[in-house]
Amino acid sequence: MEIEEEGRRGDNMVSMWDLDQKLDQPMDEEAGRLNNMYRAKKISAILMLRLSFQSLGIVYGDLGTSPLYVFYNTFPKGIEDPEDVIGALSLIIYSLTLIPLLKYVFVVCRANDNGQGGTFALYSLLCRHANIKTIPNQHRTDEQLTTYSRTTFPEKSFAVKAKGWLEGHPSRKNAMLILVLVGTCMVIGDGILTPAISVLSAAGGIKVEHPQIGSEIVVLVAVVLLVALFSLQHYGTDRVSWLFAPVVLLWLLLIGSIGIYNLAKYDTSVLRAFSPVYIYRHFRRGGKDRWTSLGGVFLCITGTEALFADLSHFPVLAVQIAFTIVVFPCLLLAYSGQAAYLMENKDHYKDAFYQSIPDAIYWPVFIIATGAAIVASQATISATFSIIKQALALGCFPRVKVVHTSKKFLGQIYIPDINWILMILCIAVTAGFKNPSQIGNAYGTAVVVVMLATTLLMTQIMILVWHCHWLLVLGFTGLSLVVECTYFAAVLFKVDQGGWVPLVIAAAFLMIMYVWHYGTLKRYEFEMHSKVSMAWILGLGPSLGLVRVPGIGLVYTELARGVPRIFSHFITNLPAIHSVVVFVCVKYLPVYTVPEEERFLVKRIGPKSFHMFRCVARYGYKDLHKKDDEFERKLFDSLFLFVRLEFMMECCSDSEEYSLYGQQTQRSRDKDDATIISETNLSAAQMSLDSVMPLSSPVRANSAVSSGNPSIQTEGDELEFLKRCRDAGVVHILGNTIIKARRESRFYKKIAVDYMYAFFRKICRENSVIFNIPHESLLNVGQIFYV
């Protein structure tokens, strides 16, 4: 702009020669602009290709290692008829086309929550578009967040009817939550089975070159690799992630090249499998074996659910480019080459992949296969950590330690407790089965249940978020359910052959998650019903009927509205309270992150002379509660800003409006649902009178107050008073609440609350550790709730 303005000022003092030069300038400027646009597009295209390359290591490691074990699990009893190989290959081709390519890459990936994928991301989207969250801690100010994106519903639309049906009964909300928890538990089971089958299948290549080696040695090698893999998790993937993409790319190119080699050497007639007619012929020949073989064919699309869960690292376009240009063609070539090899070597069905490798490159391929298996395992383990963190944030998992392993990438986390549990279960599965076939049966069961859960959630997304026509929703859901239910029916035949493992694992985690969520919900409901009324607080008088000692008391509560019962319990049993009391509510919202500048909401409780405030700290399911010093600093900065804004609004009001405003806000205060000043609403012009907290109160600050509560006349006086109280000391008052079932409760409720939930609370981390509260300034207040 400065250059253009300078040009205008110089137009009055130019010669004819200058004028002639200027006549040619627009053409040069237009050419320069087009050149810059071309360069920008070129740079963005190069960046997208680079991201597509990087996505190979994070997103497609699991899907890319499936050729190691698919044909072995498809024909566990051997190949009787070569036509069965053609039928199996045709099923593999169309399974890869329908599920990963069409459903996930081009449809499901678009249903991301601001780039976040997974079952909880879908659930968060639905919670923002319909009131289906079971813990009712929502507030209208939450919808003003920049990350709280949602769409509006046209009147009398199908989406409005679907929304009303979902919100109509608590059982439907509960059913939606259980569906999400089932999908989550199966992803956890996937995190156990993926390392087991990938590493064991890769290590099995040793027997091809050295047949004298027993299965025990292969299992031992796999266990050693698994222990090393899980032991290195605390370092995070940031330090070694630069290796992932080259390893997976080299692996995909190798298996694609080997596939071309086998097609040329053995039998190109297997390419007939691209005709769906051979699927019909495959099943027409009948027999239970052909039906149950679907459980092995299904393994060719395992890792697809991890594709969606790991979506947060890359743009959707980069994931789509990587799959369509590299992954999909290489996998089709790899499976076609193995099928061509098996047409002439039916006896090698157990080690079809390693047997089909040319001798000259066998050991390099073996090393790269082992590396690719480790990369695939790492991606699944990271996805398990991520989804447990999401469940933890939404109150669906016991409190565990979460460690950020990277300063650059927020999504790279490490959960020590879960890591060692996964390692123990993974080693138990590997050493217990010793056979990729049985592990494959279990693996298929876990993955197909996740896909079914995703399909049902996508149906709601298409209706409530995308507002698709009901015929389009019906077509997508019907086609997906036909394919996935067919595979589900096939894997049910193999429940007794290893398929029971993920069901047991999922049932155990589902019980833990649901009981924890049930206890959390009951505790919240009890606190909501037993909160202290504002009339009781006002009746205490300016000093709250107690001695006010110097300092600030931070009272932690789960309530975003109202005064918690823990406060009345505290002041009833102790004769003193701090000069300033701040009720702190740490609340997680159904969004992936809350920007730092929008994190804290502050409002005043009661008259100014009470010096009582509420601060709501809002987090997304990807955010992590930071260290106490930083949290305190930002909390007090928000509190001081609130006082300044409050005084500024008071000064901007004339006496007539101010008097009316004071009456209105006093009534809203008595209802205890007054709105909140957000740190983002800095402009006074943007604040309407009914959206700002009261700036004066009927109980004036010049009334007689106890020690520690001086008269507050101006903004500077109150700010100075707050700073002195902060310097005097900050005490964190935390409620150590214990919930128990009532005596008349049913026996299953007593078991869930008195034993299971109590046990989980005893072994999980305390709130003081989660909030990073120093022990020297911690005060626990115990109380018992009967629910």
Side-chain angles (χ1 to χ4, degrees), residues 230-503:
F230 283 99
S231 299
L232 296 175
Q233 289 300 311
H234 67 280
Y235 291 109
T237 59
D238 186 28
R239 299 182 182 180
V240 294
S241 59
W242 59 274
L243 276 174
F244 288 179
V247 168
V248 175
L249 178 61
L250 186 57
W251 164 254
L252 290 171
L253 293 178
L254 273 174
I255 62 175
S257 302
I258 293 171
I260 295 174
Y261 169 81
N262 288 326
L263 281 170
K265 182 178 180 180
Y266 295 103
D267 191 353
T268 57
S269 65
V270 295
L271 297 178
R272 293 175 294 163
F274 280 87
S275 170
V277 173
Y278 289 91
I279 297 178
Y280 168 73
R281 293 180 180 179
H282 183 73
F283 289 112
R284 190 184 62 179
R285 288 193 293 272
K288 181 182 176 181
D289 291 341
R290 288 179 177 81
W291 179 258
T292 56
S293 68
L294 283 175
V297 172
F298 181 75
L299 296 181
C300 72
I301 55 176
T302 55
T304 306
E305 74 292 340
L307 178 155
F308 183 49
D310 288 326
L311 188 65
S312 60
H313 299 84
F314 305 98
V316 174
L317 182 58
V319 173
Q320 293 173 338
I321 291 173
F323 187 82
T324 53
I325 294 180
V326 180
V327 181
F328 187 62
C330 289
L331 288 177
L332 291 183
L333 289 172
Y335 288 119
S336 300
Q338 286 190 47
Y341 177 83
L342 288 173
M343 291 289 285
E344 296 189 10
N345 301 275
K346 293 188 296 183
D347 297 336
H348 292 168
Y349 66 94
K350 287 187 176 181
D351 302 302
F353 174 77
Y354 282 111
Q355 292 283 1
S356 64
I357 299 174
D359 294 338
I361 60 170
Y362 179 83
W363 287 112
V365 173
F366 172 76
I367 294 172
I368 295 172
T370 305
I374 292 173
V375 170
S377 304
Q378 177 63 60
T380 311
I381 295 168
S382 300
T384 304
F385 291 159
S386 178
I387 203 166
I388 287 179
K389 171 67 171 63
Q390 295 177 19
L392 177 67
L394 296 178
C396 296
F397 201 85
R399 296 183 297 268
V400 291
K401 182 179 181 180
V402 178
V403 180
H404 273 259
T405 59
S406 174
K407 295 181 179 179
K408 296 185 293 183
F409 303 103
L410 184 63
Q412 292 189 7
I413 59 175
Y414 168 66
I415 306 178
D417 302 329
I418 301 300
N419 181 67
W420 303 123
I421 291 174
L422 291 179
M423 187 189 76
I424 293 171
L425 293 176
C426 189
I427 291 174
V429 168
T430 304
F433 286 123
K434 303 178 182 179
N435 189 335
S437 178
Q438 288 186 315
I439 300 177
N441 297 337
Y443 194 20
T445 305
V447 174
V448 73
V449 173
V450 177
M451 290 184 175
L452 285 170
T454 302
T455 298
L456 296 177
L457 290 173
M458 277 299 302
T459 302
Q460 304 300 325
I461 293 290
M462 295 179 73
I463 296 173
L464 298 178
V465 182
W466 293 350
H467 305 160
C468 296
H469 194 275
W470 66 270
L471 287 175
L472 186 61
V473 176
L474 185 63
F476 171 83
T477 306
L479 181 61
S480 299
L481 289 179
V482 166
V483 176
E484 290 161 5
C485 287
T486 302
Y487 278 122
F488 182 67
V491 299
L492 286 180
F493 283 101
K494 297 187 176 182
V495 169
D496 60 336
Q497 304 173 29
W500 56 270
V501 172
L503 300 179

Side-chain angles (χ1 to χ4, degrees), residues 562-576:
V563 178
R565 185 181 180 185
I566 182 180
F567 180 70
S568 64
H569 184 68
F570 178 80
I571 64 176
T572 303
N573 291 276
L574 291 176

Side-chain angles (χ1 to χ4, degrees), residues 671-727:
K671 294 178 182 178
D672 196 50
D673 192 24
T675 52
I676 300 169
I677 289 184
S678 173
E679 194 180 50
T680 55
N681 298 332
L682 300 179
S683 174
Q686 293 176 347
M687 298 181 183
S688 60
L689 289 179
D690 59 351
S691 66
V692 182
M693 277 304 298
L695 308 180
S696 68
S697 60
V699 183
R700 297 304 299 172
N702 57 3
S703 60
V705 294
S706 300
S707 171
N709 277 284
S711 178
I712 302 298
Q713 301 293 341
T714 65
E715 169 203 352
D717 291 342
E718 184 163 18
L719 287 176
E720 184 64 28
F721 173 69
L722 291 174
K723 291 177 181 178
R724 287 201 309 268
C725 291
R726 182 187 61 181
D727 296 337

Side-chain angles (χ1 to χ4, degrees), residues 184-196:
T184 303
C185 294
M186 287 298 177
V187 171
I188 296 173
D190 191 13
I192 296 169
L193 297 170
T194 296

